[in-house]
Amino acid sequence: MNKSKTDEHRYFDGVFSYTDENGEARISAPATTHRVISYEQTEAYKREQAAEKWRRGRQPSFTATRMRNIHEVYDALTTAQCGYLMRLQCSVDYVTGRLVNSDKSAMSYADMRKELGLARKKSTFSEFLSACKRNDIITEKDGEHFVNQRYHFRGAFTDPYVVKAYTTKVKHVYREVKAADIGLMYRMLPYVHYDLNALCDNPYEDDPNKIRWFNRKSLAEAIGVDPATLGRRLPKMKFGDEYVIARIKVGGKEKYTFNPNVFYRKDTKPSDDLIAMFNTKEA
DNA sequence: TCTCACGGTTAGCAAACTCC
DNA sequence: GGAGTTTGCTAACCGTGAGA
C-alpha cells in the first residue's frame, strides 16, 4: 500500500481505516471484495426502500382526477355540483368507473341521493345528475351509472397529470363543509404542484425556484371567484381540527398548499415537512 | 323527473381597515 | 402610500318543498 499513514491504523475484514497526513479519515479496502458507497447514496437507498415499503403497504383508498381534463367539468357544472361529483367519485368501482355501493351493487338514484345527503332534495339531485349526463360526465347504461374516466377513475395509473383524492378524507370533509366549498377545492385541483402540493400557476415545473405560487388574488382569478370569497371560505374548509388548505405567509407574501392527507399527486409518502405544516396543535 | 315559487345563502362590489 | 385583506350591503343564485 503506497500511501503515508499516521500511527492510527485499524484493520478489520480486509479494510484499513486510518488518518492521513492532512488529518482526514480514510478507508482502504480491496476492490475485489468491497465497493465504495457514499453516505448520500446510502440515505437515498434508505429513502427509496421506505417509499417502496409505503407503496406496497396498505395505502389509504383513493380515486384519481385527471388534472388536464377537469376544466371541462367545472365549466359545465355549478360549484356545488362539482362538490357533489367530488363526493360521488368516492364510490366509483375499479376499472369500469361504475358507481357502486359498499357491497359492490350498482347505485340506484336513491343510493346516490343518500350518499350525497340529498335524500329529501330530489330536484337538487335530479338537476345535478341531468347536468352530468348532458355533459357526458356521468353516463347511464342498463340502469347502471358510470363516471366518465376522462375525468375520474379508480386504480393504478401511469399518467403523471393526476391528483389523488383520499376517499375517507373526502367523505369526512363532505360531512363537515358545504358542497360549494368542496366545489371550490375541485376547481383548484388542476393547479396542485407535483412535489410540494402547492397551489401554483405552473404545477408541472421541476425546479422549485421557478414555481409561480398563487397568492390570494391570482388563485381567485384562476378558479373564477372573488378574492374576498376565498378569504371567507378558506377558513371554513376543515374537517375535525384539520384544515384542507394551508395559508403560508413568507414575509408579506401569502401562499397556499393542499393538505396531502386529502389531495396528493405523488406515489410516495408525503414528506414530514408537509405533514407538519397541517399540524395545528398549539404548545 | 320536471316545474314553480319562495326563502336562504353566497358572491361580488366598494369602502374601510391593516400591514409592510 | 400602496397593496392586500376584511367587512357590510345587496343582487343573483341555489336549494327546498309541493305538486303534477
Side-chain angles (χ1 to χ4, degrees), chain A residues 4-133:
Chain A
S4 63
K5 297 175 186 172
T6 67
D7 292 337
E8 294 177 52
H9 292 202
R10 289 168 65 190
Y11 177 82
F12 177 75
D13 194 23
V15 181
F16 277 108
S17 68
Y18 60 96
T19 308
D20 69 14
E21 61 272 23
N22 297 319
E24 197 169 357
R26 296 266 174 186
I27 292 173
S28 170
T32 51
T33 54
H34 295 75
R35 62 182 172 142
V36 176
I37 298 174
S38 70
Y39 286 121
E40 196 177 331
Q41 282 175 306
T42 307
E43 289 306 313
Y45 177 73
K46 282 181 188 170
R47 283 196 298 272
E48 180 53 33
Q49 287 295 302
E52 184 60 27
K53 189 178 173 186
W54 189 78
R55 279 195 289 271
R56 286 182 184 171
R58 187 182 169 84
Q59 285 185 57
S61 169
F62 64 84
T63 57
T65 300
R66 295 191 197 276
M67 298 169 67
R68 298 205 279 197
N69 297 342
I70 61 164
H71 64 91
E72 296 168 9
V73 175
Y74 59 65
D75 284 348
L77 303 183
T78 66
T79 306
Q81 287 173 341
C82 289
Y84 296 142
L85 181 66
M86 187 88 236
R87 174 61 185 83
L88 213 51
Q89 65 149 321
C90 294
S91 301
V92 298
D93 200 5
Y94 286 92
V95 185
T96 62
R98 188 173 62 125
L99 285 166
V100 294
N101 296 303
S102 51
D103 62 1
K104 301 295 173 193
S105 61
M107 274 186 143
S108 64
Y109 287 116
D111 293 330
M112 286 187 250
R113 287 209 305 267
K114 188 180 169 192
E115 202 72 15
L116 295 175
L118 299 175
R120 294 167 56 83
K121 303 168 187 172
K122 287 165 75 172
S123 57
T124 302
F125 172 74
S126 73
E127 207 165 291
F128 158 67
L129 196 62
S130 59
C132 287
K133 286 180 178 176

Side-chain angles (χ1 to χ4, degrees), chain A residues 164-184:
Chain A
K164 292 185 286 185
Y166 293 105
T167 54
T168 308
K169 299 292 184 181
V170 170
K171 287 176 183 176
H172 194 165
V173 174
Y174 187 86
R175 281 198 298 273
E176 299 200 13
V177 309
K178 295 173 184 305
D181 286 337
I182 297 192
L184 282 183

